Amino acid sequence: MVSMIFSWIPQAVASVDPNIHIGEVSGKPGEIVEVPVSYDSKGSEFSFYHSELSFAYDSAVLELVEGDEVVNQQAYENYQGVSLTKDTSVLGFIQIVTTNQQFIDQSTVLYSLHFKIKDSATASASSVILHSGVLIAQNDLFQVTGENGKVTVLSDEKPVGNVLVSIGSAQGKAGDKVTLPVDTVSLDQPIGSYGVRLKYNPTALQVVNVTGNVPGIQYNANNETGSVIVGWSDEDGGQSPIPASESPQALFKIEFTIASGAITGDYPVQVVDTTLPEHFTVTDTDAMEMNKQIVPGKISVVGSPVTPTTPSNPGSSGSGSSSGGSSTPSTPASTSEKITVNVTNERNTNAVVSATIIERTTGADGRKKDEVNLTAEQTSRAIESLKKAGSNIARIMIPDEKDEVSELNVKLPAKSTSLMADEKMNLYIETDNASLQLPANSLQGLGSDIFFHLVPIKDTAGREVVEQRIQNDPLIVKSSSNTADFRLVGRPMTIETNMSSRPVTVVLPIRETNLTQKEMDKLQVFIEHSDGTKELVKGKIVKFNGTDQPGIEFEVTKFSTFSMILMNGTSSSAYIQGYTDGTFRPNQAVQRAEMAALLSRILPSDSDEATLDTSYRDMPAAEWAREAITKATAAGYMRGNAAGDFMPERYITRAEMAVIIERLLNRKDITGAVTTTELTKEATDITLHWAREAVQRVLATGVMSVSPDGAFRPNEAVTRAEAVTLLNRLVHIEPELSGTSRWKDVSVSHWAYGAIQAASQN
């Protein structure tokens, strides 16, 4: 009988590194979607006839189609399926076991997961991940890794528009008339109306006139209080809007007279509070408020004579008279220069892999702007050189040695980002004011040109406005009972982009050299998003742009103004955070790099451990976690393999977690109240497992446990909910059961609610 059953099984070939790929689909609430699950041989000769794959999904967004959970069973039919079973007994998980008569020996679609998007789902991306996976070739088991998929929930509603407005700058001497432009830098939907209230110093500046390129602009200036309100609405009811454009376009111009007694210096022209509609509002053609951001401007009063600005309407009444025969001097033309900068190999800053051009423009007002366009040709050249060097990180360092550049625009054409994503290349854009780290997966499938607009707020007046705005914000008031505990550190940065909902790592330099280590540990980043939301992010201390200067690193998916602050009066116990969409994603599996980061935040760190430099071949894949991986390795919590890889992106299994916990329990400062008792019964599924002894010892402490059926599930990935529960037990953090849930996908009835609350709040 056995001979008859297995007589058709061919000889299997050893595996290299095949994996399971989960596709990406989209749909609206209420729609049915099919998420394809494919086997990718990665060019190896591995073959298998039996698979046991477990998938995790967010049950708050997706629900399996009952009775028809697995569809499009292509491989099962093509390779003569013998059996296909599914287990959906645990909410948020589905396990699928298949057996075929023929070996699957090439890349193919296995089947699709059949989901309905819940009617209550909001527009966002929801991950579908491989929770655990085993492929069987004869009697050999292969632990297969997976590439995450996702279901993007689309909205029936019209998307909210985005607009970035820039108040320009002008320069003149006492008694001059100067014109200040107000332009849109980027605009992705037409504008139907706008209104802006600008503040200025009335002792130095007086508004003379406001003009625009479209009819219907109205203004009201109060030169006693230093306030001017400018408004416009489409008189045709949305038929003649200000069109969408990725290029700058003028909104209006304000003509000022500089007072005869004005002293030299910079005088800001700005919106006091951009969050208040009475100060700043922009609506689309359907009268919907848009996501908006405004960059402040200034008028510089100089002591020496300058060439006067050409009046916008020479010879008109109110603009002064000129002597007969005299000509009006022309406005100084702007000048530009081209600067070549190198694209370098991340592993060796002296190894040039390509080059690009900075076009630095000096306007008539003296302001310098940089424009960088990384062309497809330059990108292709860089990729070829990086591949030869065995690196996957390209870095562009944009210099500003004299600290004179007022804004930077970086353009990444769609072809360039597509090339980077296809070759899994990461791009670092480094300036003296901020560093942006764009991972390859964030560049995938963009489909259009991407821009980044960086504006450091250098002037004292601008910093004071930001500081006053932050100090009165509820987030700060809630975090500190004494406003004296709050201090703005360094320069606020305004960063805008049209690449939304994609994770980007930002690093800001810590410019103050007199901060103690204790003060640096208390630094946080206050983020004012252009959609009106705000958040306070802890971040972590790293080396800024690879130098000895410290910086603070954090991840965002949307941009606006970033301000580094020091909160002396707070103490933080949070060691894990949720996502900017308000979710915690408790069922999402934890990668090894992420576990190293959690351990480095919650566990004691010996002073000499931080100085060690552990180098793994695959470290560039998790550069953000380099310091955490180094500490975890040096302390003996985690280890790489014999080949010199840390495998940062592989999910950590429950067996590996047990081994880590066993190592940690040997520390006197961690053991504490953890006691060990004798287990009368062994877990049912670890008898022959390599981590059996470690699992048994950890089970005896009660830090980990088995399921009701006695199984430990050693090869399943540890989820975020499981991770915080285990770490809380390890360091004796009590569950926090009071208050309302911090995360919209973690209800008070969730089994890990108390642990998640305690681990993710200050």
Side-chain angles (χ1 to χ4, degrees):
M1 178 74 71
V2 172
S3 175
M4 291 174 64
I5 293 174
F6 289 95
S7 62
W8 40 263
I9 298 180
Q11 183 65 38
V13 183
S15 156
V16 179
D17 58 350
N19 75 355
I20 299 299
H21 177 79
I22 306 172
E24 299 182 0
V25 299
S26 61
K28 297 178 181 179
E31 291 184 350
I32 302 294
V33 295
E34 297 179 12
V35 180
V37 176
S38 305
Y39 166 69
D40 188 350
S41 68
K42 298 290 186 180
S44 70
E45 297 179 353
F46 177 80
S47 59
F48 65 96
Y49 74 97
H50 181 82
S51 67
E52 298 178 9
L53 306 178
S54 178
F55 304 91
Y57 60 92
D58 189 345
S59 58
V61 178
L62 304 171
E63 59 183 357
L64 291 163
V65 178
E66 186 175 358
D68 199 23
E69 297 89 345
V70 184
V71 296
N72 189 26
Q73 303 165 26
Q74 180 174 320
Y76 184 74
E77 296 169 356
N78 292 346
Y79 294 89
Q80 300 179 26
V82 175
S83 66
L84 186 153
T85 62
K86 56 198 176 186
D87 181 2
T88 60
S89 58
V90 179
L91 185 64
F93 294 87
I94 179 172
Q95 183 182 47
I96 302 170
V97 179
T98 63
T99 303
N100 300 303
Q101 288 189 20
Q102 295 184 3
F103 273 98
I104 298 176
D105 56 2
Q106 59 186 347
S107 298
T108 184
V109 176
L110 298 178
Y111 41 74
S112 294
L113 303 177
H114 209 191
F115 290 105
K116 176 185 176 183
I117 301 176
K118 288 192 171 183
D119 294 333
S120 59
T122 57
S124 63
S126 183
S127 296
V128 180
I129 66 173
L130 180 67
H131 188 252
S132 62
V134 174
L135 304 179
I136 298 180
Q138 286 191 346
N139 297 322
D140 296 326
L141 300 180
F142 178 76
Q143 300 286 341
V144 67
T145 58
E147 295 179 2
N148 293 352
K150 67 179 178 182
V151 176
T152 300
V153 182
L154 305 176
S155 175
D156 288 326
E157 299 178 356
K158 177 182 177 181
V160 178
N162 299 278
V163 59
L164 172 61
V165 176
S166 174
I167 305 172
S169 296
Q171 177 179 299
K173 59 183 178 62
D176 280 350
K177 287 184 178 180
V178 294
T179 300
L180 198 68
V182 179
D183 308 325
T184 61
V185 176
S186 62
L187 176 62
D188 64 4
Q189 286 191 26
I191 294 176
S193 70
Y194 66 77
V196 59
R197 181 194 298 266
L198 299 175
K199 292 289 291 182
Y200 55 91
N201 188 332
T203 63
L205 304 172
Q206 297 280 286
V207 172
V208 177
N209 193 19
V210 177
T211 58
N213 294 334
V214 291
I217 288 181
Q218 299 181 2
Y219 78 96
N220 181 17
N222 188 329
N223 285 323
E224 293 184 1
T225 61
S227 174
V228 58
I229 301 174
V230 183
W232 172 86
S233 63
D234 181 8
E235 296 177 347
D236 293 333
Q239 299 303 309
S240 302
I242 297 172
S245 175
E246 294 184 1
S247 301
Q249 55 183 333
L251 287 181
F252 56 89
K253 297 178 181 180
I254 308 176
E255 186 177 2
F256 285 95
T257 295
I258 302 176
S260 58
I263 61 174
T264 59
D266 292 336
Y267 294 87
V269 179
Q270 59 203 349
V271 176
V272 174
D273 191 340
T274 59
T275 65
L276 297 177
E278 59 265 33
H279 286 195
F280 185 35
T281 180
V282 182
T283 68
D284 62 17
T285 53
D286 294 323
M288 292 178 56
E289 187 74 15
M290 301 175 69
N291 294 329
K292 56 195 184 301
Q293 178 72 17
I294 191 164
V295 180
K298 66 180 179 180
I299 292 178
S300 300
V301 179
V302 295
S304 57
V306 296
T307 304
T309 303
T310 303
S312 58
N313 187 12
S316 64
S317 61
S319 58
S321 60
S322 57
S323 58
S326 65
S327 60
T328 304
S330 61
T331 303
S334 61
T335 60
S336 64
E337 57 180 319
K338 296 186 183 298
I339 304 171
T340 301
V341 293
N342 294 326
V343 181
T344 64
N345 177 354
E346 191 275 338
R347 294 179 181 172
N348 181 358
T349 56
N350 295 319
V352 178
V353 297
S354 186
T356 188
I357 301 296
I358 298 176
E359 184 169 348
R360 180 164 294 173
T361 303
T362 304
D365 56 5
R367 286 167 55 93
K368 294 183 183 292
K369 300 180 183 180
D370 279 356
E371 300 276 348
V372 179
N373 183 5
L374 186 61
T375 67
E377 180 184 355
Q378 295 162 352
T379 303
S380 179
R381 189 162 58 246
I383 289 173
E384 290 303 314
S385 298
L386 288 168
K387 288 168 67 175
K388 291 179 182 178
S391 176
N392 67 345
I393 298 179
R395 56 192 291 171
I396 306 174
M397 182 63 196
I398 301 173
D400 183 16
E401 296 177 358
K402 297 180 180 179
D403 193 24
E404 57 185 356
V405 177
S406 60
E407 60 182 278
L408 166 66
N409 292 289
V410 179
K411 182 178 180 181
L412 304 174
K415 181 63 175 177
S416 297
T417 57
S418 177
L419 288 170
M420 297 286 288
D422 291 346
E423 297 295 338
K424 293 182 169 54
M425 294 291 173
N426 308 300
L427 178 63
Y428 287 9
I429 302 170
E430 299 179 351
T431 76
D432 292 330
N433 293 293
S435 171
L436 304 178
Q437 300 174 9
L438 283 62
N441 56 0
S442 291
L443 301 175
Q444 187 75 42
L446 290 173
S448 60
D449 295 351
I450 297 301
F451 76 85
F452 285 91
H453 180 69
L454 293 83
V455 180
I457 301 176
K458 300 180 180 181
D459 61 290
T460 303
R463 290 183 78 257
E464 289 176 351
V465 171
V466 172
E467 188 166 16
Q468 182 180 8
R469 189 168 65 237
I470 296 175
Q471 184 169 305
N472 297 323
D473 191 90
L475 273 179
I476 302 300
V477 175
K478 181 179 178 180
S479 301
S480 175
S481 58
N482 182 0
T483 55
D485 292 332
F486 156 79
R487 179 160 65 89
L488 186 63
V489 177
R491 290 175 177 168
M493 276 292 300
T494 296
I495 306 177
E496 289 294 333
T497 180
N498 59 344
M499 189 178 85
S500 60
S501 303
R502 305 290 182 108
V504 174
T505 297
V506 179
V507 187
L508 301 178
I510 300 174
R511 298 177 179 274
E512 296 190 15
T513 58
N514 58 346
L515 293 178
T516 65
Q517 184 60 49
K518 195 170 184 180
E519 288 176 322
M520 293 215 317
D521 291 339
K522 293 181 179 180
L523 288 176
Q524 300 183 66
V525 180
F526 185 82
I527 307 177
E528 302 169 274
H529 294 298
S530 55
D531 61 4
T533 61
K534 302 168 188 177
E535 59 180 322
L536 199 56
V537 176
K538 182 69 173 70
K540 66 174 181 177
I541 305 302
V542 298
K543 291 184 176 181
F544 181 67
N545 289 348
T547 67
D548 292 332
Q549 181 182 5
I552 187 166
E553 178 184 284
F554 52 96
E555 183 180 280
V556 293
T557 57
K558 53 184 179 179
F559 289 79
S560 272
T561 301
F562 304 91
S563 305
M564 196 185 312
I565 62 174
L566 176 61
M567 299 284 289
N568 286 317
T570 61
S571 59
S572 174
S573 61
Y575 63 88
I576 190 170
Q577 289 297 330
Y579 296 83
T580 55
D581 62 357
T583 62
F584 183 81
R585 304 177 193 176
N587 295 330
Q588 182 169 294
V590 178
Q591 295 179 339
R592 284 173 53 83
E594 293 172 327
M595 180 56 66
L598 294 180
L599 292 172
S600 69
R601 294 172 194 156
I602 198 172
L603 296 175
S605 176
D606 298 334
S607 58
D608 58 338
E609 291 173 4
T611 63
L612 296 176
D613 183 15
T614 304
S615 179
Y616 292 105
R617 296 187 309 175
D618 52 0
M619 188 71 87
E623 182 62 30
W624 66 270
R626 177 184 290 273
E627 185 177 353
I629 293 172
T630 296
K631 287 183 178 180
T633 303
Y637 305 151
M638 301 182 72
R639 298 169 186 165
N641 61 19
D645 295 318
F646 185 78
M647 299 164 289
E649 296 178 333
R650 187 170 67 78
Y651 298 130
I652 193 161
T653 67
R654 284 174 53 81
E656 292 172 326
M657 191 72 208
V659 172
I660 292 173
I661 291 175
E662 183 193 31
R663 293 169 183 163
L664 293 170
L665 289 174
N666 292 327
R667 291 187 65 123
K668 294 180 180 180
D669 50 1
I670 292 176
T671 304
V674 176
T675 58
T676 303
T677 59
E678 287 293 328
L679 280 182
T680 58
K681 186 179 180 180
E682 184 176 274
T684 58
D685 53 353
I686 63 168
T687 304
L688 300 177
H689 199 279
W690 63 270
R692 174 181 173 273
E693 293 183 3
V695 171
Q696 284 294 96
R697 283 192 286 269
V698 172
L699 288 176
T701 67
V703 176
M704 299 185 77
S705 59
V706 297
S707 59
D709 62 358
F712 181 74
R713 310 188 314 278
N715 297 324
E716 286 192 9
V718 175
T719 66
R720 283 167 57 85
E722 290 173 327
V724 297
T725 302
L726 297 175
L727 292 176
N728 285 2
R729 290 173 185 167
L730 194 64
V731 295
H732 321 302
I733 295 178
E734 295 296 324
E736 177 56 59
L737 300 174
S738 61
T740 57
S741 177
R742 289 175 53 82
W743 313 109
K744 63 185 181 183
D745 59 344
V746 182
S747 67
V748 293
S749 61
H750 192 282
W751 68 269
Y753 170 76
I756 293 171
Q757 287 283 97
S760 61
Q761 70 181 6
N762 290 332

